[in-house]
PDB file of all heavy atoms in Angstrom:
ATOM      1  N   LEU A 464      -6.235 -20.986 -34.562  1.00 92.00           N
ATOM      2  CA  LEU A 464      -5.782 -19.602 -34.356  1.00 92.00           C
ATOM      3  C   LEU A 464      -4.687 -19.296 -35.372  1.00 92.00           C
ATOM      4  O   LEU A 464      -3.727 -20.057 -35.510  1.00 92.00           O
ATOM      5  CB  LEU A 464      -5.226 -19.444 -32.938  1.00 92.00           C
ATOM      6  CG  LEU A 464      -4.514 -18.123 -32.640  1.00 92.00           C
ATOM      7  CD1 LEU A 464      -5.464 -16.936 -32.765  1.00 92.00           C
ATOM      8  CD2 LEU A 464      -3.906 -18.137 -31.238  1.00 92.00           C
ATOM      9  N   ILE A 465      -4.854 -18.171 -36.065  1.00 95.00           N
ATOM     10  CA  ILE A 465      -3.893 -17.796 -37.112  1.00 95.00           C
ATOM     11  C   ILE A 465      -3.231 -16.470 -36.743  1.00 95.00           C
ATOM     12  O   ILE A 465      -3.927 -15.498 -36.432  1.00 95.00           O
ATOM     13  CB  ILE A 465      -4.638 -17.648 -38.461  1.00 95.00           C
ATOM     14  CG1 ILE A 465      -5.202 -19.010 -38.865  1.00 95.00           C
ATOM     15  CG2 ILE A 465      -3.723 -17.084 -39.542  1.00 95.00           C
ATOM     16  CD1 ILE A 465      -6.299 -18.920 -39.883  1.00 95.00           C
ATOM     17  N   GLN A 466      -1.923 -16.453 -36.761  1.00 95.00           N
ATOM     18  CA  GLN A 466      -1.201 -15.220 -36.423  1.00 95.00           C
ATOM     19  C   GLN A 466      -0.152 -14.955 -37.502  1.00 95.00           C
ATOM     20  O   GLN A 466       0.752 -15.770 -37.686  1.00 95.00           O
ATOM     21  CB  GLN A 466      -0.445 -15.382 -35.095  1.00 95.00           C
ATOM     22  CG  GLN A 466      -1.234 -15.981 -33.965  1.00 95.00           C
ATOM     23  CD  GLN A 466      -1.605 -14.951 -32.914  1.00 95.00           C
ATOM     24  OE1 GLN A 466      -1.764 -13.774 -33.232  1.00 95.00           O
ATOM     25  NE2 GLN A 466      -1.745 -15.367 -31.687  1.00 95.00           N
ATOM     26  N   PHE A 467      -0.287 -13.821 -38.171  1.00 96.00           N
ATOM     27  CA  PHE A 467       0.766 -13.409 -39.114  1.00 96.00           C
ATOM     28  C   PHE A 467       1.783 -12.606 -38.310  1.00 96.00           C
ATOM     29  O   PHE A 467       1.706 -11.382 -38.220  1.00 96.00           O
ATOM     30  CB  PHE A 467       0.171 -12.553 -40.238  1.00 96.00           C
ATOM     31  CG  PHE A 467      -0.658 -13.338 -41.211  1.00 96.00           C
ATOM     32  CD1 PHE A 467      -2.041 -13.343 -41.124  1.00 96.00           C
ATOM     33  CD2 PHE A 467      -0.051 -14.081 -42.216  1.00 96.00           C
ATOM     34  CE1 PHE A 467      -2.809 -14.069 -42.015  1.00 96.00           C
ATOM     35  CE2 PHE A 467      -0.816 -14.812 -43.118  1.00 96.00           C
ATOM     36  CZ  PHE A 467      -2.204 -14.804 -43.014  1.00 96.00           C
ATOM     37  N   MET A 468       2.744 -13.309 -37.714  1.00 94.00           N
ATOM     38  CA  MET A 468       3.666 -12.623 -36.795  1.00 94.00           C
ATOM     39  C   MET A 468       4.493 -11.550 -37.504  1.00 94.00           C
ATOM     40  O   MET A 468       4.839 -10.540 -36.905  1.00 94.00           O
ATOM     41  CB  MET A 468       4.637 -13.618 -36.154  1.00 94.00           C
ATOM     42  CG  MET A 468       4.024 -14.476 -35.097  1.00 94.00           C
ATOM     43  SD  MET A 468       3.667 -16.076 -35.773  1.00 94.00           S
ATOM     44  CE  MET A 468       5.277 -16.784 -35.948  1.00 94.00           C
ATOM     45  N   SER A 469       4.795 -11.774 -38.778  1.00 96.00           N
ATOM     46  CA  SER A 469       5.650 -10.810 -39.484  1.00 96.00           C
ATOM     47  C   SER A 469       4.955  -9.462 -39.660  1.00 96.00           C
ATOM     48  O   SER A 469       5.613  -8.448 -39.861  1.00 96.00           O
ATOM     49  CB  SER A 469       6.045 -11.371 -40.845  1.00 96.00           C
ATOM     50  OG  SER A 469       4.894 -11.830 -41.518  1.00 96.00           O
ATOM     51  N   ALA A 470       3.608  -9.459 -39.579  1.00 96.00           N
ATOM     52  CA  ALA A 470       2.892  -8.187 -39.750  1.00 96.00           C
ATOM     53  C   ALA A 470       2.855  -7.387 -38.451  1.00 96.00           C
ATOM     54  O   ALA A 470       2.438  -6.235 -38.431  1.00 96.00           O
ATOM     55  CB  ALA A 470       1.466  -8.467 -40.217  1.00 96.00           C
ATOM     56  N   ARG A 471       3.310  -7.999 -37.356  1.00 95.00           N
ATOM     57  CA  ARG A 471       3.159  -7.377 -36.036  1.00 95.00           C
ATOM     58  C   ARG A 471       4.115  -6.208 -35.805  1.00 95.00           C
ATOM     59  O   ARG A 471       3.872  -5.357 -34.988  1.00 95.00           O
ATOM     60  CB  ARG A 471       3.376  -8.420 -34.925  1.00 95.00           C
ATOM     61  CG  ARG A 471       2.356  -9.536 -34.913  1.00 95.00           C
ATOM     62  CD  ARG A 471       1.113  -9.126 -34.168  1.00 95.00           C
ATOM     63  NE  ARG A 471      -0.060  -9.881 -34.580  1.00 95.00           N
ATOM     64  CZ  ARG A 471      -0.439 -11.045 -34.076  1.00 95.00           C
ATOM     65  NH1 ARG A 471       0.266 -11.590 -33.119  1.00 95.00           N
ATOM     66  NH2 ARG A 471      -1.525 -11.648 -34.512  1.00 95.00           N
ATOM     67  N   GLU A 472       5.258  -6.218 -36.486  1.00 92.00           N
ATOM     68  CA  GLU A 472       6.213  -5.130 -36.221  1.00 92.00           C
ATOM     69  C   GLU A 472       6.777  -4.582 -37.520  1.00 92.00           C
ATOM     70  O   GLU A 472       7.040  -5.329 -38.461  1.00 92.00           O
ATOM     71  CB  GLU A 472       7.338  -5.593 -35.287  1.00 92.00           C
ATOM     72  CG  GLU A 472       7.994  -6.865 -35.700  1.00 92.00           C
ATOM     73  CD  GLU A 472       9.421  -6.990 -35.211  1.00 92.00           C
ATOM     74  OE1 GLU A 472      10.045  -5.973 -34.884  1.00 92.00           O
ATOM     75  OE2 GLU A 472       9.917  -8.119 -35.203  1.00 92.00           O
ATOM     76  N   SER A 473       6.968  -3.262 -37.520  1.00 89.00           N
ATOM     77  CA  SER A 473       7.428  -2.612 -38.747  1.00 89.00           C
ATOM     78  C   SER A 473       8.852  -3.029 -39.106  1.00 89.00           C
ATOM     79  O   SER A 473       9.257  -2.920 -40.252  1.00 89.00           O
ATOM     80  CB  SER A 473       7.335  -1.096 -38.596  1.00 89.00           C
ATOM     81  OG  SER A 473       7.704  -0.727 -37.299  1.00 89.00           O
ATOM     82  N   ASP A 474       9.600  -3.535 -38.123  1.00 89.00           N
ATOM     83  CA  ASP A 474      10.991  -3.915 -38.392  1.00 89.00           C
ATOM     84  C   ASP A 474      11.142  -5.281 -39.056  1.00 89.00           C
ATOM     85  O   ASP A 474      12.220  -5.622 -39.518  1.00 89.00           O
ATOM     86  CB  ASP A 474      11.766  -3.980 -37.065  1.00 89.00           C
ATOM     87  CG  ASP A 474      12.449  -2.671 -36.773  1.00 89.00           C
ATOM     88  OD1 ASP A 474      12.163  -1.707 -37.498  1.00 89.00           O
ATOM     89  OD2 ASP A 474      13.249  -2.624 -35.833  1.00 89.00           O
ATOM     90  N   TYR A 475      10.070  -6.070 -39.045  1.00 94.00           N
ATOM     91  CA  TYR A 475      10.237  -7.454 -39.507  1.00 94.00           C
ATOM     92  C   TYR A 475      10.779  -7.501 -40.938  1.00 94.00           C
ATOM     93  O   TYR A 475      11.721  -8.236 -41.243  1.00 94.00           O
ATOM     94  CB  TYR A 475       8.921  -8.247 -39.410  1.00 94.00           C
ATOM     95  CG  TYR A 475       9.128  -9.714 -39.717  1.00 94.00           C
ATOM     96  CD1 TYR A 475       9.450 -10.607 -38.700  1.00 94.00           C
ATOM     97  CD2 TYR A 475       9.082 -10.200 -41.029  1.00 94.00           C
ATOM     98  CE1 TYR A 475       9.694 -11.953 -38.975  1.00 94.00           C
ATOM     99  CE2 TYR A 475       9.327 -11.533 -41.316  1.00 94.00           C
ATOM    100  CZ  TYR A 475       9.630 -12.402 -40.283  1.00 94.00           C
ATOM    101  OH  TYR A 475       9.883 -13.727 -40.567  1.00 94.00           O
ATOM    102  N   ASN A 476      10.175  -6.685 -41.815  1.00 94.00           N
ATOM    103  CA  ASN A 476      10.632  -6.733 -43.208  1.00 94.00           C
ATOM    104  C   ASN A 476      11.960  -6.011 -43.425  1.00 94.00           C
ATOM    105  O   ASN A 476      12.585  -6.149 -44.474  1.00 94.00           O
ATOM    106  CB  ASN A 476       9.546  -6.216 -44.161  1.00 94.00           C
ATOM    107  CG  ASN A 476       8.449  -7.255 -44.377  1.00 94.00           C
ATOM    108  OD1 ASN A 476       7.276  -6.927 -44.480  1.00 94.00           O
ATOM    109  ND2 ASN A 476       8.819  -8.529 -44.425  1.00 94.00           N
TER     110      ASN A 476
END
Side-chain angles (χ1 to χ4, degrees):
L464 171 63
I465 296 161
Q466 313 253 29
F467 288 100
M468 286 101 72
S469 50
R471 296 276 156 87
E472 50 154 340
S473 39
D474 267 9
Y475 187 89
N476 283 143

